[in-house]
Amino acid sequence: MGDLVVRSRRTILPDREGPAAVVVTDGRITAIRPYDAEPVADIETDLGDLVLLPGLVDTHVHVNEPGRTEWEGFASATRAAAAGGVTTIIDMPLNSLPPTVNTAALRAKRAAATGQCHVDVGFWGGAIPGNAADLPELHAAGVFGFKAFLADSGVPEFPPVDRDQLAAAMAAADALFVIHAEDPDHLHDAAGSAAYADFLASRPADAEHAAVATAIAVARETGRRVHILHLSAASALPLIAQARADGVRVTAETCPHYLTLDAGRIPDGATEFKCCPPIRDAANADRLWAALADGLITCVVSDHSPCTPELKRRDTGDFAAAWGGIASVQLGLPVVWTAARERGHPLAEVVSWMATRPADLAGLPHKGRIAVGADADLVAFDPDATFVVDPHALHHKNPVTPYAGAALHGVVRTTWLRGRPVTGAQPGGRLLLRGER
């Protein structure tokens, strides 16, 4: 007997979509049986034609606590994640104070998160100038890898690395390095302008292209794994394809906003659309979708990077002065699903992009899939239901989103974390360590 059985006529399994009964014991999936199998658990839940998905894994989330908790915090970010069908997040090392660049900072981050999390939470470490010697100890302490910026991060306590500093960091730790890839020599000043076209021109595709080339070259020299974060510029895709063909261990992600928003439709002064790298045009998005379909881009994650409304500078509409980040951890699934279904992609592909592959990137084989032995992180999803985004109905701490008023397909009905429904009332998430089961 299990503790729980969840049945659905549309269960997304690793090899198929179909009817199944998922048996859960002590928080893990212990069997996958026919949909109409005899009752075998204390609690039986029949979803009928609602889709049963694995919980999504979002490896790119800025929680910002401690230090900038007014921007976001563990309680609000993880409540929003669960509401959006995300059951595991990996927190980025910057925007919190202190940034996660040594073991003392990791302890502070874990202490701040303890007892607040509604989903499971892991942590990236940070590579900044001068901390290469700290990276082996920080990696051993359980971070999932190291983030580095090749251009200004937006916060002074997390400065960018140059090529030599990146190489030193990669040489110091046998770890996954995740890279914000924009080259500072290709960025321009658009201060004072409320025109989105000026902001876009200030961060051209060439900046991503050059920085991706640098990251690949250092990965080639050191033999380390490198992952290109939030790829926006499709012009960099051939570089990644050639490097992979050459045996370089390089992967790339993109984000919902790069796949679904169009630079040509962004009003001047609408700084809720600002992110770095920037949203580009529809033709560029088409190329990103093609790269997802053929596996060159491996996953879709939120880059949830919120701030207070004041920091978005809607009073002036100055894109250069506004904080660059889009808060979307709660909306990623319906945003991507709405666009994917229009392009003919099945829901199973969305699950691969947003659950299985991010879990694989982070080394979490027990996450992001409905399989025997995996954690019972499950989502009841209605793919045909629609809703209109109301920023004030979101669980993000600050109700700022470029998706306000958008009509989306796909509603999360229930999220289970290790077999228990996440209600948002009682935190039940765990703090994850790399390599720990």
Side-chain angles (χ1 to χ4, degrees):
M1 291 285 291
D3 305 318
L4 168 71
V5 168
V6 183
R7 303 173 190 269
S8 169
R9 294 187 182 92
R10 295 187 61 189
T11 303
I12 306 293
L13 299 169
D15 59 346
R16 63 183 174 87
E17 175 186 327
V22 178
V23 182
V24 178
T25 308
D26 294 331
R28 293 185 184 172
I29 298 171
T30 50
I32 297 173
R33 304 189 66 191
Y35 172 77
D36 56 359
E38 290 295 318
V40 293
D42 300 323
I43 300 174
E44 296 267 342
T45 297
D46 193 336
L47 302 179
D49 291 326
L50 290 181
V51 182
L52 183 61
L53 310 178
L56 305 189
V57 177
D58 193 338
T59 54
H60 197 147
V61 176
H62 295 267
V63 176
N64 304 337
E65 187 176 6
R68 292 188 175 97
T69 310
E70 69 276 15
W71 295 16
E72 188 65 285
F74 284 103
S76 52
T78 58
R79 192 179 286 114
V86 178
T87 53
T88 302
I89 66 169
I90 311 292
D91 173 56
M92 282 294 170
L94 72 157
N95 301 344
S96 56
L97 294 168
T100 316
V101 295
N102 53 46
T103 55
L106 177 62
R107 287 193 296 271
K109 181 70 73 76
R110 289 175 61 87
T114 298
Q116 291 206 74
C117 299
H118 296 271
V119 302
D120 287 354
V121 177
F123 303 95
W124 295 108
I128 62 173
N131 83 326
D134 295 311
L135 301 187
E137 182 181 11
L138 186 53
H139 200 230
V143 298
F144 284 80
F146 298 102
K147 180 176 188 176
F149 274 75
L150 298 184
D152 180 38
S153 72
V155 291
E157 68 277 0
F158 202 98
V161 294
D162 62 23
R163 189 189 191 286
D164 290 343
Q165 290 163 338
L166 179 62
M170 286 191 177
D174 186 5
L176 171 62
F177 284 80
V178 299
I179 309 297
H180 181 119
E182 290 183 285
D183 188 297
D185 292 338
H186 290 75
L187 303 180
H188 313 296
D189 186 12
S193 176
Y196 185 77
D198 290 343
F199 170 65
L200 180 60
S202 76
R203 305 186 88 96
D206 286 351
E208 285 190 78
H209 191 280
V212 168
T214 295
I216 287 172
V218 176
R220 192 187 300 271
E221 293 167 8
T222 60
R224 300 300 194 216
R225 288 175 64 202
V226 67
H227 180 73
I228 306 301
L229 297 169
H230 46 48
L231 184 72
S232 163
S235 60
L237 290 166
L239 283 174
I240 297 169
Q242 184 59 59
R244 290 177 64 169
D246 294 342
V248 179
R249 296 189 295 166
V250 57
T251 51
E253 68 187 34
T254 195
C255 302
H257 38 281
Y258 300 130
L259 294 168
T260 63
L261 301 178
D262 177 0
R265 295 178 176 270
I266 297 176
D268 290 347
T271 51
E272 65 269 27
F273 288 86
K274 180 183 176 180
C275 55
C276 300
I279 295 160
R280 305 191 189 277
D281 62 26
N284 182 82
D286 288 341
R287 293 178 65 189
L288 297 178
W289 279 102
L292 266 176
D294 68 18
L296 184 56
I297 295 176
T298 56
C299 49
V300 180
V301 293
S302 69
D303 190 11
H304 178 75
S305 185
C307 66
T308 59
E310 294 76 18
L311 290 175
K312 273 298 188 182
R313 299 309 306 269
R314 285 303 305 271
D315 55 337
T316 64
D318 183 346
F319 276 95
W323 178 257
I326 289 176
S328 61
V329 69
Q330 185 171 337
L331 294 173
L333 176 57
V335 166
V336 174
W337 169 235
T338 299
R341 62 186 280 156
E342 292 176 356
R343 292 172 177 266
H345 294 285
L347 190 51
E349 282 191 279
V350 175
V351 167
S352 177
W353 301 332
M354 302 187 76
T356 313
R357 290 181 181 173
D360 291 345
L361 172 73
L364 294 168
H366 56 294
K367 298 288 190 182
R369 67 209 80 213
I370 298 176
V372 172
D375 286 354
D377 300 343
L378 305 169
V379 176
F381 184 65
D382 187 340
D384 299 317
T386 60
F387 70 102
V388 174
V389 176
D390 175 2
H392 293 281
L394 300 175
H395 294 284
H396 309 157
K397 183 165 286 190
N398 294 291
V400 179
T401 173
Y403 300 110
L408 300 178
H409 284 272
V411 173
V412 172
R413 300 298 186 189
T414 306
T415 298
W416 291 266
L417 180 68
R418 289 185 303 280
R420 295 190 176 187
V422 182
T423 66
Q426 184 64 38
R430 294 177 180 170
L431 304 185
L432 305 176
L433 297 174
R434 179 186 54 83
E436 183 181 66
R437 181 68 170 90

Coordinates of all heavy atoms in Angstrom, one line a residue, residues 335-385:
V335 N 2.7 30.7 -20.0 CA 3.2 31.5 -21.0 C 3.8 30.7 -22.1 O 3.5 30.8 -23.3 CB 4.3 32.5 -20.5 CG1 5.1 33.1 -21.6 CG2 3.6 33.6 -19.7
V336 N 4.6 29.7 -21.7 CA 5.3 28.8 -22.7 C 4.3 27.9 -23.4 O 4.3 27.7 -24.6 CB 6.5 28.1 -22.1 CG1 7.0 27.1 -23.1 CG2 7.6 29.0 -21.6
W337 N 3.4 27.4 -22.6 CA 2.4 26.4 -23.2 C 1.5 27.1 -24.2 O 1.2 26.6 -25.2 CB 1.6 25.8 -22.1 CG 0.4 25.0 -22.6 CD1 -0.9 25.2 -22.2 CD2 0.4 23.9 -23.5 NE1 -1.7 24.3 -22.8 CE2 -1.0 23.5 -23.7 CE3 1.4 23.3 -24.3 CZ2 -1.4 22.5 -24.6 CZ3 1.0 22.3 -25.2 CH2 -0.3 21.9 -25.3
T338 N 1.1 28.4 -23.9 CA 0.2 29.1 -24.8 C 0.9 29.3 -26.1 O 0.2 29.0 -27.2 CB -0.1 30.5 -24.2 OG1 -0.8 30.3 -23.0 CG2 -1.0 31.3 -25.1
A339 N 2.1 29.6 -26.1 CA 2.9 29.8 -27.4 C 3.2 28.4 -28.0 O 3.1 28.3 -29.3 CB 4.1 30.6 -27.2
A340 N 3.5 27.5 -27.2 CA 3.9 26.2 -27.8 C 2.8 25.5 -28.5 O 2.9 24.9 -29.6 CB 4.4 25.3 -26.7
R341 N 1.6 25.5 -27.9 CA 0.4 24.9 -28.6 C 0.1 25.6 -29.9 O -0.3 24.9 -30.9 CB -0.8 24.9 -27.6 CG -1.3 26.2 -27.2 CD -2.4 26.0 -26.2 NE -3.7 25.7 -26.8 CZ -4.7 25.1 -26.2 NH1 -4.5 24.7 -24.9 NH2 -5.8 24.8 -26.8
E342 N 0.3 26.9 -30.0 CA 0.1 27.6 -31.2 C 1.1 27.2 -32.3 O 0.7 27.2 -33.5 CB 0.1 29.1 -31.0 CG -1.0 29.7 -30.2 CD -0.8 31.1 -29.9 OE1 0.2 31.7 -30.3 OE2 -1.7 31.7 -29.3
R343 N 2.2 26.8 -31.9 CA 3.3 26.3 -32.8 C 3.3 24.8 -33.1 O 4.2 24.3 -33.8 CB 4.7 26.8 -32.3 CG 4.9 28.3 -32.3 CD 6.1 28.7 -31.6 NE 6.4 30.1 -31.7 CZ 7.1 30.8 -32.6 NH1 7.7 30.0 -33.6 NH2 7.2 32.1 -32.6
G344 N 2.4 24.1 -32.4 CA 2.3 22.7 -32.7 C 3.1 21.8 -31.8 O 3.3 20.6 -32.1
H345 N 3.7 22.3 -30.7 CA 4.5 21.5 -29.8 C 3.6 20.9 -28.8 O 2.8 21.6 -28.2 CB 5.5 22.4 -29.1 CG 6.6 23.0 -30.0 ND1 7.6 22.3 -30.6 CD2 6.7 24.3 -30.5 CE1 8.4 23.0 -31.3 NE2 7.8 24.3 -31.3
P346 N 3.8 19.6 -28.6 CA 2.9 18.9 -27.5 C 3.4 19.3 -26.1 O 4.5 19.8 -25.9 CB 3.2 17.4 -27.8 CG 4.5 17.4 -28.4 CD 4.7 18.7 -29.2
L347 N 2.5 19.0 -25.2 CA 2.8 19.4 -23.8 C 4.0 18.6 -23.3 O 4.8 19.1 -22.4 CB 1.6 19.1 -22.9 CG 1.6 19.5 -21.5 CD1 1.9 21.0 -21.4 CD2 0.2 19.3 -20.9
A348 N 4.2 17.4 -23.8 CA 5.4 16.6 -23.4 C 6.7 17.3 -23.7 O 7.7 17.2 -22.9 CB 5.4 15.2 -24.0
E349 N 6.7 18.0 -24.8 CA 8.0 18.8 -25.1 C 8.2 19.9 -24.1 O 9.3 20.2 -23.6 CB 7.9 19.4 -26.5 CG 8.2 18.4 -27.6 CD 8.4 19.0 -28.9 OE1 7.3 19.4 -29.6 OE2 9.5 19.2 -29.3
V350 N 7.1 20.6 -23.7 CA 7.2 21.7 -22.7 C 7.7 21.1 -21.4 O 8.6 21.7 -20.7 CB 5.8 22.4 -22.5 CG1 5.9 23.4 -21.4 CG2 5.4 23.0 -23.8
V351 N 7.2 19.9 -21.0 CA 7.7 19.2 -19.8 C 9.2 18.9 -19.9 O 10.0 19.1 -18.9 CB 6.9 18.0 -19.5 CG1 7.6 17.1 -18.5 CG2 5.5 18.3 -19.1
S352 N 9.6 18.5 -21.0 CA 11.1 18.2 -21.2 C 11.9 19.5 -21.0 O 12.9 19.5 -20.3 CB 11.3 17.6 -22.6 OG 12.7 17.4 -22.8
W353 N 11.4 20.6 -21.7 CA 12.2 21.9 -21.6 C 12.2 22.5 -20.2 O 13.1 23.1 -19.8 CB 11.6 22.9 -22.5 CG 11.5 22.5 -24.0 CD1 12.4 21.6 -24.6 CD2 10.6 22.9 -25.0 NE1 12.0 21.5 -26.0 CE2 10.9 22.3 -26.2 CE3 9.5 23.8 -24.9 CZ2 10.2 22.5 -27.4 CZ3 8.8 24.0 -26.1 CH2 9.1 23.4 -27.3
M354 N 11.1 22.3 -19.4 CA 10.9 23.1 -18.2 C 11.0 22.2 -16.9 O 11.0 22.7 -15.8 CB 9.5 23.8 -18.2 CG 9.4 24.7 -19.4 SD 7.9 25.8 -19.3 CE 8.4 27.0 -18.1
A355 N 11.1 20.9 -17.1 CA 11.2 20.0 -15.9 C 12.4 19.1 -16.0 O 13.3 19.2 -15.3 CB 9.9 19.2 -15.8
T356 N 12.4 18.2 -17.0 CA 13.4 17.1 -17.1 C 14.8 17.7 -17.4 O 15.8 17.4 -16.7 CB 13.0 16.1 -18.1 OG1 11.6 15.7 -18.0 CG2 13.9 14.9 -18.0
R357 N 14.9 18.5 -18.4 CA 16.2 19.0 -18.8 C 16.8 20.0 -17.8 O 18.0 19.9 -17.5 CB 16.2 19.6 -20.2 CG 16.0 18.6 -21.3 CD 15.9 19.2 -22.6 NE 15.7 18.3 -23.7 CZ 15.5 18.6 -25.0 NH1 15.5 19.9 -25.3 NH2 15.3 17.7 -25.9
P358 N 16.1 20.9 -17.2 CA 16.7 21.7 -16.1 C 17.1 20.8 -14.9 O 18.2 21.1 -14.3 CB 15.6 22.6 -15.7 CG 14.7 22.7 -16.9 CD 14.7 21.4 -17.5
A359 N 16.4 19.8 -14.6 CA 16.8 18.9 -13.5 C 18.1 18.2 -13.9 O 19.0 18.0 -13.1 CB 15.7 17.8 -13.3
D360 N 18.2 17.7 -15.2 CA 19.4 17.1 -15.6 C 20.6 18.1 -15.6 O 21.7 17.7 -15.2 CB 19.2 16.5 -17.0 CG 18.3 15.4 -17.1 OD1 18.0 14.8 -16.0 OD2 17.8 15.0 -18.2
L361 N 20.4 19.3 -16.0 CA 21.4 20.3 -15.9 C 22.0 20.5 -14.5 O 23.2 20.5 -14.4 CB 20.9 21.7 -16.4 CG 21.8 22.9 -16.2 CD1 22.9 22.8 -17.2 CD2 21.1 24.2 -16.3
A362 N 21.2 20.5 -13.5 CA 21.6 20.7 -12.2 C 22.1 19.4 -11.5 O 22.5 19.5 -10.4 CB 20.5 21.3 -11.4
G363 N 21.9 18.3 -12.2 CA 22.3 17.0 -11.5 C 21.3 16.5 -10.5 O 21.7 16.1 -9.4
L364 N 20.0 16.6 -10.9 CA 18.9 16.2 -10.0 C 18.1 15.1 -10.7 O 17.0 15.3 -11.2 CB 18.0 17.4 -9.7 CG 18.7 18.5 -8.8 CD1 17.8 19.7 -8.8 CD2 18.9 18.0 -7.4
P365 N 18.6 13.9 -10.8 CA 17.9 12.8 -11.5 C 16.6 12.4 -10.9 O 15.8 11.7 -11.6 CB 18.9 11.7 -11.5 CG 19.8 11.9 -10.3 CD 19.9 13.4 -10.2
H366 N 16.4 12.8 -9.6 CA 15.1 12.4 -9.0 C 14.1 13.5 -9.1 O 13.0 13.4 -8.4 CB 15.4 12.1 -7.5 CG 16.1 13.2 -6.8 ND1 17.4 13.6 -7.0 CD2 15.7 14.0 -5.7 CE1 17.7 14.6 -6.2 NE2 16.7 14.9 -5.4
K367 N 14.3 14.5 -9.8 CA 13.4 15.6 -10.1 C 13.0 15.7 -11.5 O 13.7 15.2 -12.4 CB 14.0 17.0 -9.6 CG 14.4 17.0 -8.2 CD 13.2 17.2 -7.3 CE 13.5 17.5 -5.8 NZ 12.3 17.6 -4.9
G368 N 11.9 16.4 -11.8 CA 11.5 16.7 -13.2 C 11.0 15.6 -14.0 O 11.0 15.7 -15.2
R369 N 10.6 14.5 -13.4 CA 10.1 13.3 -14.2 C 9.2 12.5 -13.3 O 9.3 12.4 -12.1 CB 11.2 12.5 -14.7 CG 12.0 11.8 -13.6 CD 13.5 11.6 -14.1 NE 14.2 12.8 -13.9 CZ 15.2 13.2 -14.7 NH1 15.6 12.5 -15.7 NH2 15.8 14.3 -14.4
I370 N 8.2 11.8 -13.9 CA 7.3 10.9 -13.3 C 7.9 9.5 -13.6 O 7.7 8.9 -14.6 CB 5.9 11.0 -13.7 CG1 5.3 12.4 -13.4 CG2 5.0 10.0 -13.1 CD1 3.9 12.7 -13.8
A371 N 8.6 9.0 -12.6 CA 9.3 7.7 -12.8 C 9.5 7.1 -11.4 O 9.6 7.8 -10.4 CB 10.7 7.9 -13.5
V372 N 9.6 5.8 -11.4 CA 9.8 5.0 -10.2 C 11.2 5.5 -9.6 O 12.2 5.5 -10.3 CB 9.8 3.5 -10.4 CG1 10.2 2.8 -9.1 CG2 8.4 3.1 -10.8
G373 N 11.1 5.8 -8.3 CA 12.3 6.3 -7.6 C 12.5 7.8 -7.5 O 13.2 8.3 -6.7
A374 N 11.7 8.5 -8.4 CA 11.8 10.0 -8.4 C 10.9 10.5 -7.2 O 10.0 9.9 -6.7 CB 11.2 10.5 -9.7
D375 N 11.3 11.8 -6.8 CA 10.4 12.4 -5.8 C 9.0 12.6 -6.4 O 8.9 12.9 -7.6 CB 11.0 13.8 -5.4 CG 12.2 13.7 -4.6 OD1 12.6 12.6 -4.1 OD2 12.9 14.7 -4.3
A376 N 8.0 12.5 -5.5 CA 6.6 12.6 -6.0 C 6.2 14.1 -6.1 O 5.4 14.6 -5.3 CB 5.7 11.9 -5.1
D377 N 6.9 14.8 -6.9 CA 6.6 16.2 -7.2 C 5.7 16.2 -8.4 O 6.2 15.9 -9.5 CB 7.9 17.0 -7.5 CG 8.9 17.0 -6.3 OD1 8.5 16.7 -5.2 OD2 10.1 17.3 -6.5
L378 N 4.5 16.6 -8.3 CA 3.5 16.4 -9.3 C 2.6 17.6 -9.4 O 2.5 18.4 -8.5 CB 2.6 15.2 -8.9 CG 3.3 13.8 -8.6 CD1 2.3 12.8 -8.0 CD2 3.9 13.3 -9.9
V379 N 2.0 17.7 -10.6 CA 1.2 18.9 -10.9 C -0.1 18.4 -11.7 O 0.1 17.7 -12.7 CB 1.9 19.9 -11.8 CG1 1.0 21.1 -12.2 CG2 3.2 20.5 -11.0
A380 N -1.2 18.8 -11.2 CA -2.5 18.7 -11.9 C -2.7 19.9 -12.8 O -2.8 21.0 -12.2 CB -3.7 18.5 -11.0
F381 N -2.7 19.8 -14.1 CA -2.7 20.9 -15.0 C -3.9 20.8 -16.0 O -4.1 19.7 -16.6 CB -1.4 20.9 -15.8 CG -1.1 22.0 -16.7 CD1 -1.0 23.3 -16.2 CD2 -1.0 21.8 -18.1 CE1 -0.8 24.4 -17.0 CE2 -0.8 22.9 -18.9 CZ -0.7 24.2 -18.4
D382 N -4.6 21.9 -16.1 CA -5.7 22.0 -17.1 C -5.2 22.7 -18.3 O -5.1 24.0 -18.3 CB -6.9 22.6 -16.5 CG -8.1 22.6 -17.4 OD1 -8.0 22.4 -18.6 OD2 -9.2 22.8 -16.8
P383 N -4.8 22.0 -19.4 CA -4.1 22.7 -20.5 C -5.1 23.6 -21.3 O -4.6 24.4 -22.1 CB -3.6 21.6 -21.3 CG -4.5 20.4 -21.1 CD -4.9 20.6 -19.6
D384 N -6.4 23.4 -21.2 CA -7.3 24.1 -22.0 C -8.0 25.2 -21.3 O -8.6 26.1 -22.0 CB -8.4 23.1 -22.5 CG -7.8 22.0 -23.4 OD1 -6.9 22.3 -24.2 OD2 -8.2 20.8 -23.2
A385 N -7.9 25.3 -20.0 CA -8.5 26.4 -19.3 C -7.7 27.7 -19.6 O -6.5 27.7 -19.9 CB -8.4 26.1 -17.8

